[in-house]
Amino acid sequence: MKSQVQPKLIIHGGAGSSLHGKGGLEAVRRSLHAIVEEVYTLLLSGVDASVAVVRGCQLLEDDPRFNAGTGSVLQSDGQIRMSASLMDSASGHFSGVINVSRVKNPINLAHFLQSSPDRVLSDYGAAELARELQLPIYNGLTDLRLQEWIQERQDNFKHTMAGVVADTEMLETSNAGRGTIGVVVLDTYGKLAVGTSTGGKGFERIGRVSDSAMPAGNYATSYAAVSCTGIGEDIIDECLAAKIVVRVTDGMSLQEAMKKSFAEAHDHKRDFGAIALDATGAIAWGKTSQVILAAFHDGDKIGDTLELPEGTEVGCIV
Ligand code: ASP
């Protein structure tokens, strides 16, 4: 295949209530920009969209600041259960794992399942696959997440979600927020792919299923690709990622599809965010939550959404 398209990239490290203090903001900015830089360099070298998505997800999963892989939040019983999915627009395949434990990079399992006849595996099946692939046992628990959980247990789990990022300031204020990571890529061949990975919303019931390994939270066609973050139940109720992607696939511009979908979300009092790309190279983000921690490469430079003017719900670079 001939490489001819200018690649585009947008990533997120969650959405939620405001990042307290510049310390938190600058540290998040550094992490996100460094990952955009590394993945964009890969894209320029001509790697396939799914490969770039997987690499971006691994880097975000490995950063303890974000709620995925290392640094995942704990569920109500004090355990980590992670979910991740990948969608490749060329194969048209969605693959993923739901509530998997003791692996370093859940996105790797989702990647492996791309070519499997059984493409979404939950807890026992995902554990069995990890064993089959001889992945080393890994504990992604960080001290900060443990302290967060202990504090929430003392407060009788009054928050509906864990912190947006593992930030000590967040812990001090015990601020509710969201986590999760996502990567959306348009490669030099013009192919779109998207991946999303999460530790869940934190403090949830055992067996609760996140949107992150559903087409509601992660979806792509050859026209558009979207990764979501925020309250999973709200994302599922709106079927957000699939809705935006189908709107673009049926002819709406990405900007219009985002505007319409977020206006509906606003009316329905949803709490989430999303990042998106389309096949023309348009880059977009949207949120009903206070912040979305996203960074992107538009072909010229890196930008981010960390300090959007108050009230901004949708942004698009065409
Ligand atoms: N959407 C994720 C979930 O509900 C959480 C998040 O995005 O922070 O599991």
Side-chain angles (χ1 to χ4, degrees), residues 36-308:
V36 166
E37 181 107 49
E38 181 167 339
V39 179
Y40 199 75
T41 305
L42 267 182
L43 281 169
L44 288 176
S45 75
V47 304
D48 167 82
S50 279
V51 173
V53 163
V54 169
R55 184 63 191 139
C57 287
Q58 288 167 347
L59 291 167
L60 287 156
E61 286 177 341
D62 290 347
D63 187 331
R65 191 172 289 285
F66 304 116
N67 168 26
T70 306
S72 284
V73 296
L74 303 179
Q75 299 199 333
S76 56
D77 62 345
Q79 298 296 312
I80 288 178
R81 293 183 189 86
M82 301 165 288
S83 300
S85 67
L86 176 67
M87 184 139 190
D88 180 296
S89 70
S91 68
H93 285 175
F94 178 98
S95 59
V97 284
I98 295 171
N99 289 331
V100 66
S101 302
R102 295 168 198 264
V103 294
K104 186 161 183 265
N105 294 111
I107 194 70
N108 291 354
L109 293 173
H111 193 202
F112 176 84
L113 290 168
Q114 271 287 301
S115 51
S116 160
D118 305 314
R119 287 202 299 274
V120 184
L121 298 182
S122 67
D123 44 20
Y124 297 127
E128 195 55 19
L129 176 65
R131 195 173 65 90
E132 218 175 283
L133 297 175
Q134 300 188 334
L135 299 183
I137 289 176
Y138 181 81
N139 184 358
L141 178 64
T142 60
D143 283 352
L144 206 57
R145 292 306 190 191
L146 183 59
Q147 285 174 48
E148 213 174 55
W149 186 83
I150 291 169
Q151 189 175 314
E152 272 300 310
R153 191 172 70 160
Q154 277 159 4
D155 294 346
N156 206 18
F157 298 115
K158 71 175 186 312
H159 286 119
T160 48
M161 283 188 99
V164 59
V165 284
D167 182 321
T168 41
E169 250 171 301
M170 296 297 272
L171 187 61
E172 277 158 25
T173 54
S174 191
N175 199 346
R178 337 273 170 257
T180 295
I181 65 92
V183 177
V184 191
V185 158
L186 175 71
D187 70 16
T188 52
Y189 311 99
K191 186 177 101 172
L192 290 159
V194 57
T196 305
S197 180
T198 190
K201 62 179 180 178
F203 325 125
E204 62 267 73
R205 285 180 76 116
I206 303 169
R208 182 254 182 190
V209 175
S210 164
D211 63 288
S212 300
M214 290 185 193
N218 188 78
Y219 199 68
T221 63
S222 56
Y223 294 88
V226 175
S227 168
C228 303
T229 177
I231 305 255
E233 285 69 8
D234 283 1
I235 295 167
I236 294 166
D237 288 347
E238 292 293 314
C239 202
L240 187 65
K243 174 159 79 174
I244 296 166
V245 167
V246 168
R247 281 181 165 155
V248 176
T249 304
D250 285 350
M252 208 179 259
S253 73
L254 181 62
Q255 187 163 21
E256 280 312 305
M258 291 289 281
K259 275 192 186 154
K260 188 167 167 58
S261 305
F262 275 87
E264 289 164 357
H266 187 96
D267 289 349
H268 300 156
K269 299 191 171 35
R270 307 300 192 190
D271 189 355
F272 52 52
I275 57 171
L277 291 179
D278 75 9
T280 71
I283 302 172
W285 61 86
K287 61 177 180 60
T288 52
S289 49
Q290 264 177 277
V291 289
I292 176 149
L293 311 181
F296 51 86
H297 203 303
D298 65 6
D300 282 337
K301 55 185 181 326
I302 296 177
D304 66 52
T305 64
L306 301 185
E307 289 174 293
L308 296 174

